[in-house]
Amino acid sequence: MNARSRILSWDATTAIEALAAAESALWSWSPGEDSLRFTGATRPLGLGPLAPECSGAGFVALTLPQDRALAEALLKPQAEGTEIAIRLRMRGTETSLWRGVWLEDGLRAAGLVALETKFAGADKDALTGLLDRRTFLARAAEAAACQGDMEMVVADVDRLNRLNEALGHERADLVLAALGSRLAAAFSDSAWPARVGEDEFAIILPRGAGGNGQRLRDALEQPLRVAGFDIYPTVSVGSVAFEGGPDSPDASELLRRAELAIGSAKALGRSGTAVYGKALESDSLSRLALEGDLRNAFVRGEIEPFFQPIVNLNTGAVAGFEALARWRHPKRGLVPPDEFLGLTQEMGLMNDLGLMMMTRSSRQLGDWLKRHPQAGHLFCSVNLSVGEIERPHLVEDVARIIQETGLPHGALKLEVTEGDIMRDTEKAAVILQKLKDVGASLALDDFGTGFSSLSYLARLPFDTLKIDRYFVLTMDKDEGSAKIVKSVVNLGRDLNLEVVAEGVENASLAALLLDAQCHYGQGFGYAPALPAGDAEVYLNESLSDGSAPLKARSG
């Protein structure tokens, strides 16, 4: 053996010395032989009375009484490859972390045991300092092994993608870090606060311990200031109750159930709360079936544009339409957009939806322009989904659609959000100008609801600003909303931009907008989104009567 080989070689004595220096020990458990063997620093771990070999009963007897259920769980045979991660307190020493794996078709388990302090930081989420997902599941398994009524509560941060778009990932991470600190401060370590996903936090506590879900919400839903912005985080909360013991579901199953409840909570809107129940399982299966139907819907052409009128407030004439996606399901009928648009996003089909909406809406608009030349400069607005502005071949597709349908310059209006612009303003400016050059007009949607920057309005080639419906709906009752509407209208006029007000529910709101010199109105006061045939009827009626019908007051 050469010198290098002698340096790299290990013998049993060297291995034992290394384990002793690390105050760790190797262990091996053979259930068939009822034999638990140890090698290494057994005394600091409280295993000295048991070493080098003991029975399972002897091992359980040496643990603290409250941890004996966990010791029995460690010894219980499992399938080959099952990982072990359990915290145990032996008599007269600190908590130790047992890690290992089941081997040889579950006939034997082996691993390493060390004081938990030796593993400090290894099981922490790097961003928040909370437990990571794997460690949380290990702690949950410990809780599930003990008798008692427990509850796992998980909170999902609403609209994290919106924060990422507006602030950038680094600043959004500051928000998550702050939320982690608040969670750690609100709950003791015995609740095992953890970050179990990119935007998910979790705890485990005894059931009925003072409203666990509300305590979690109170900890996280406090305003904070990041990078000069006031952030008001909201969370959707899902929980699952369970009874600890040998018949308890495993930790991964409990987390799945809590996350399933979160899905139900999100359906209620921001800050929703839901508790797991068997009914959610059937809802989940229904969702799975809906995913399959949605993929087929694109193939079968079941998703189609509906058209909501946009009216010239000064003349009362229909100036254009906004195309909104609707799904005609062969069995369920018309599926509301809030039931399938989120699913479309999750399935990565938003770009397909955007291209389909642009194509079909442009064809319909081209047909109307041919049949109704008296309609003048009729336009159609189509929303670009989040991130679609960066889609490859977007400009080429828009140019091709305009050429194929023969639309006049500016008749196809593409609506983008502030989030898309703020993510990379310079890149967005280049793409928007290219879209303008190939014949599209451009609208900035929901202006004023995000992290608006007036500087980009002067630099980007927009034609239109759209005021969010909330400000319009409340402008007759809220002086602040009225001032915001007037300010946006004046800003639009100063920048030579047309302004569209969404949320026009009645004639009084239309009158207020007209007094503010707003150009266009859109809302249920005129009409909801209509199928193409009904939209053409509405257009014909407005052309015949000289103005679009408008409700005098909301119902």
Side-chain angles (χ1 to χ4, degrees):
M1 180 181 293
N2 59 34
R4 178 173 175 79
S5 298
R6 285 195 299 272
I7 292 172
L8 295 178
S9 66
W10 286 74
D11 57 23
T13 301
T14 304
I16 293 172
E17 289 173 348
L19 290 167
E23 295 187 338
S24 304
L26 301 177
W27 59 269
S28 176
W29 164 238
S30 301
E33 301 174 8
D34 190 23
S35 175
L36 183 61
R37 300 178 180 87
F38 303 100
T39 300
T42 55
R43 189 173 299 279
L45 300 169
L47 300 171
L50 304 177
E53 182 177 350
C54 69
S55 66
F59 169 67
V60 172
L62 194 64
T63 60
L64 293 182
Q66 57 266 42
D67 281 4
R68 284 176 183 168
L70 296 174
E72 291 170 350
L74 185 149
L75 301 178
K76 183 180 179 181
Q78 303 288 339
E80 181 177 343
T82 302
E83 293 186 2
I84 297 168
I86 290 180
R87 297 162 67 247
L88 284 177
R89 288 165 293 179
M90 313 302 291
R91 294 181 185 276
T93 188
E94 302 173 33
T95 300
S96 296
L97 182 58
W98 294 68
R99 283 184 165 171
V101 66
W102 281 91
L103 307 164
E104 300 172 5
D105 294 328
L107 297 177
R108 184 171 66 90
L112 176 74
V113 55
L115 293 176
E116 187 175 32
T117 53
K118 298 297 181 180
F119 287 99
D123 300 324
K124 302 291 187 180
D125 171 62
L127 180 62
T128 63
L130 302 176
L131 297 181
D132 60 20
R133 183 184 182 97
R134 185 177 69 172
T135 308
F136 177 76
L137 288 174
R139 304 290 171 84
E142 296 174 18
C146 298
Q147 298 292 335
D149 291 335
M150 304 292 291
E151 184 178 30
M152 180 185 292
V153 187
V154 180
D156 183 282
V157 181
D158 296 322
R159 300 176 69 191
L160 180 63
N161 287 339
R162 175 67 169 146
L163 283 176
N164 283 329
E165 293 163 13
L167 298 176
H169 286 278
E170 290 184 1
R171 291 174 176 173
D173 281 350
L174 294 177
V175 175
L176 292 173
L179 295 180
S181 296
R182 290 176 174 180
L183 188 62
F187 293 92
S188 67
D189 288 343
S190 61
W192 299 323
R195 183 186 181 208
V196 294
E198 181 185 9
D199 53 1
E200 285 186 351
F201 297 92
I203 55 170
I204 295 180
L205 284 173
R207 199 183 333 173
N212 297 330
Q214 189 58 47
R215 285 180 62 196
L216 185 62
R217 183 182 300 284
D218 291 343
L220 299 178
E221 288 191 345
Q222 298 296 324
L224 52 90
R225 189 167 181 81
V226 173
F229 295 111
D230 291 319
I231 310 296
Y232 297 87
T234 61
V235 294
S236 298
V237 176
S239 64
V240 57
F242 62 97
E243 183 177 350
D247 297 327
S248 174
D250 66 32
S252 296
E253 172 62 15
L254 289 169
L255 184 56
R256 184 193 72 83
R257 292 179 182 182
E259 290 175 334
L260 194 59
I262 284 178
S264 179
K266 284 187 173 294
L268 302 174
R270 295 173 66 180
S271 290
T273 300
V275 178
Y276 171 81
K278 290 295 185 183
L280 293 183
E281 296 292 352
S282 59
D283 290 344
S284 182
L285 291 174
S286 298
R287 178 183 173 86
L288 192 62
L290 193 64
E291 288 183 10
D293 288 349
L294 184 56
R295 288 193 183 278
N296 291 330
F298 280 86
V299 177
R300 295 193 292 254
E302 295 169 2
I303 298 177
E304 61 184 85
F306 274 36
F307 300 88
Q308 186 171 35
I310 298 173
V311 176
N312 186 313
L313 291 168
N314 190 44
T315 67
V318 174
F321 294 90
E322 180 177 0
L324 300 165
R326 297 293 185 267
W327 180 11
R328 290 191 187 275
H329 193 281
K331 295 181 179 178
R332 299 179 55 179
L334 203 61
V335 180
D338 59 356
E339 288 189 22
F340 75 88
L341 287 182
L343 187 58
T344 303
Q345 176 86 38
E346 291 176 21
M347 296 171 64
L349 297 173
M350 289 303 286
N351 287 343
D352 300 273
L353 178 64
L355 181 57
M356 183 276 293
M357 287 291 292
M358 278 193 290
T359 303
R360 294 189 62 175
S361 301
S362 297
R363 289 173 182 169
Q364 186 62 71
L365 178 60
D367 188 47
W368 285 338
L369 288 172
K370 291 176 184 176
R371 292 209 301 269
H372 306 283
Q374 69 274 31
H377 301 291
L378 200 66
F379 64 84
C380 184
S381 293
V382 179
N383 293 284
L384 292 182
S385 62
V386 173
E388 191 176 359
I389 192 173
E390 299 170 1
R391 172 173 72 83
H393 310 301
L394 172 65
V395 176
E396 292 89 334
D397 286 336
V398 171
R400 174 181 52 78
I401 290 169
I402 291 175
Q403 183 177 17
E404 290 176 354
T405 56
L407 292 180
H409 190 94
L412 174 60
K413 189 185 295 282
L414 302 177
E415 298 187 5
V416 298
T417 64
E418 287 186 76
D420 272 344
I421 302 304
M422 294 294 287
R423 188 164 51 246
D424 188 339
T425 307
E426 297 303 321
K427 184 177 180 180
V430 173
I431 297 172
L432 291 175
Q433 187 58 57
K434 289 180 178 179
L435 291 171
K436 193 84 174 282
D437 292 342
V438 299
S441 56
L442 302 169
L444 182 59
D445 198 12
D446 296 340
F447 181 72
T449 61
F451 303 92
S452 306
S453 172
L454 299 182
S455 62
Y456 67 68
L457 278 181
R459 294 187 291 113
L460 298 178
F462 287 110
D463 306 284
T464 305
L465 292 180
K466 296 195 76 172
I467 307 175
D468 183 71
R469 64 191 308 272
Y470 169 80
F471 301 120
V472 177
L473 283 171
T474 57
M475 66 180 296
D476 58 345
K477 307 179 188 68
D478 187 302
E479 184 178 352
S481 292
K483 288 180 178 178
I484 289 174
V485 170
K486 291 177 182 178
S487 297
V488 174
V489 171
N490 291 334
L491 176 65
R493 289 190 172 277
D494 289 342
L495 296 174
N496 294 317
L497 301 174
E498 295 178 330
V499 180
V500 178
E502 298 182 288
V504 182
E505 301 292 294
N506 52 57
S508 62
L509 288 176
L512 289 174
L513 290 166
L514 184 59
D515 288 343
Q517 297 186 309
C518 184
H519 302 94
Y520 301 106
Q522 174 184 353
F524 283 95
Y526 292 107
L530 303 168
D534 293 345
E536 186 170 10
V537 170
Y538 188 94
L539 176 62
N540 270 321
E541 289 177 351
S542 65
L543 291 173
S544 300
D545 297 340
S547 63
L550 179 61
K551 293 180 183 177
R553 60 183 182 278
S554 58

